[in-house]
Amino acid sequence: MLILSLLLSSCASMDDNNKQRQVASVISYLFPDTQEVPTANSNIAHITVPFRIGIAFVPDNASPEFRLPENERLKLAGQVRDAFSHYPFVQEIVPVPSVYLKSEGGFANLERVASLLSLDVIALISFDQVQNSGASGWSFLYWTGIGAYIVEGDQYDILTSVETTVFDIKSQRLLMRAGGISTIQGAATWVGFSEYARAARTQGFVDAIDKMIKELHVEVKMFRENAVKDPMINLLLPKGYNPN
């Protein structure tokens, strides 16, 4: 009886705290001292082509057991790197470890990272992931004890939204942005719930970033077409380079 009571009190479907969320806000990171939506600055972006880009996940507020592991972050950043490495105006794309970015560090933090890694442009990946969990109609079979191992009595619903914002670091000018959204639903046994939910959260990031990459390709095309005639962007081209 004691074991079954502990079992029921621990399963996801019986937990009052059945909603978990991890948020990494690019606004909170870059503009920590203001509650207002920042306006576009008037600085001209002087960009030397080809340029070096850093890719980094914005610092988040997730608890350690819920947050996306660092090895998965670097793997996802590597997917973005590989998707854009063939562009001729890109010299190199560098995944930036999360420890390099300080919570609410702002552009001052980015400038130090850029100096350390010789970056011209930074792509910041922000996200908002929510996991809702609850009982399915089969959760009553947990009373049997064995049911905790074979009955998928707990459900999860995970919504993941990611966005990449690309900034010229010196001018602090936003060059482009793109986003992606993923929804994953599933069920698991009480014993396997944490493992399955963790895998689903990671897959949510993978799916959302895949969609974001497609949108970012569209944004890159628009940037290539508009940058040469944008008065707020000054492209410093090497001799013989064709901007088209």
Side-chain angles (χ1 to χ4, degrees):
M1 290 290 292
L2 177 60
I3 292 174
L4 290 176
S5 297
L6 291 173
L7 178 65
L8 288 171
S9 65
S10 301
C11 71
S13 60
M14 301 297 175
D15 189 356
D16 292 333
N17 186 23
N18 61 358
K19 180 177 180 179
Q20 294 174 296
R21 186 181 186 187
Q22 54 176 330
V23 179
S25 169
V26 68
I27 299 297
S28 298
Y29 170 67
L30 293 178
F31 306 96
D33 299 325
T34 179
Q35 299 298 320
E36 300 178 359
V37 177
T39 57
N41 64 50
S42 57
N43 299 329
I44 296 177
H46 299 279
I47 304 176
T48 300
V49 179
F51 48 79
R52 286 172 55 88
I53 305 177
I55 303 177
F57 276 82
V58 174
D60 62 83
N61 65 349
S63 57
E65 68 274 10
F66 188 67
R67 73 191 304 266
L68 183 67
E70 179 64 12
N71 64 321
E72 294 294 341
R73 292 170 186 249
L74 292 175
K75 185 185 299 183
L76 292 171
Q79 288 182 225
V80 181
R81 175 199 61 205
D82 295 342
F84 295 92
S85 60
H86 67 281
Y87 285 106
F89 56 84
V90 174
Q91 178 182 357
E92 188 177 3
I93 303 178
V94 183
V96 179
S98 297
V99 293
Y100 284 24
L101 269 62
K102 178 182 178 182
S103 180
E104 300 184 346
F107 282 103
N109 182 201
L110 285 184
E111 289 174 359
R112 290 192 292 270
V113 173
S115 177
L116 178 65
L117 300 178
S118 300
L119 303 177
D120 305 300
V121 175
I122 188 76
L124 295 175
I125 302 176
S126 55
F127 58 84
D128 189 347
Q129 185 179 71
V130 179
Q131 173 183 306
N132 288 297
S133 57
S136 73
W138 298 101
S139 61
F140 73 94
L141 291 176
Y142 286 164
W143 284 105
T144 65
I146 296 177
Y149 293 87
I150 63 175
V151 176
E152 294 183 342
D154 284 83
Q155 299 173 325
Y156 52 81
D157 189 343
I158 300 171
L159 174 64
T160 308
S161 174
V162 300
E163 181 180 65
T164 294
T165 47
V166 182
F167 289 88
D168 173 59
I169 298 173
K170 290 183 179 179
S171 67
Q172 303 179 8
R173 172 164 291 278
L174 176 65
L175 302 179
M176 66 189 83
R177 55 179 293 273
I181 296 176
S182 166
T183 300
I184 293 181
Q185 296 176 325
T189 64
W190 171 76
V191 173
F193 182 82
S194 296
E195 180 180 350
Y196 278 93
R198 185 183 302 110
R201 291 195 299 270
T202 300
Q203 188 61 46
F205 277 108
V206 171
D207 294 347
I209 284 182
D210 281 345
K211 294 178 181 179
M212 181 272 296
I213 286 175
K214 295 178 181 178
E215 293 298 321
L216 200 53
H217 277 299
V218 176
E219 289 294 312
V220 169
K221 180 180 179 181
M222 293 178 60
F223 174 79
R224 293 179 65 181
E225 295 174 351
N226 298 329
V228 293
K229 52 189 176 183
D230 189 337
M232 304 308 296
I233 297 177
N234 178 28
L235 296 178
L236 305 175
L237 307 176
K239 185 177 180 180
Y241 185 90
N242 182 359
N244 296 317

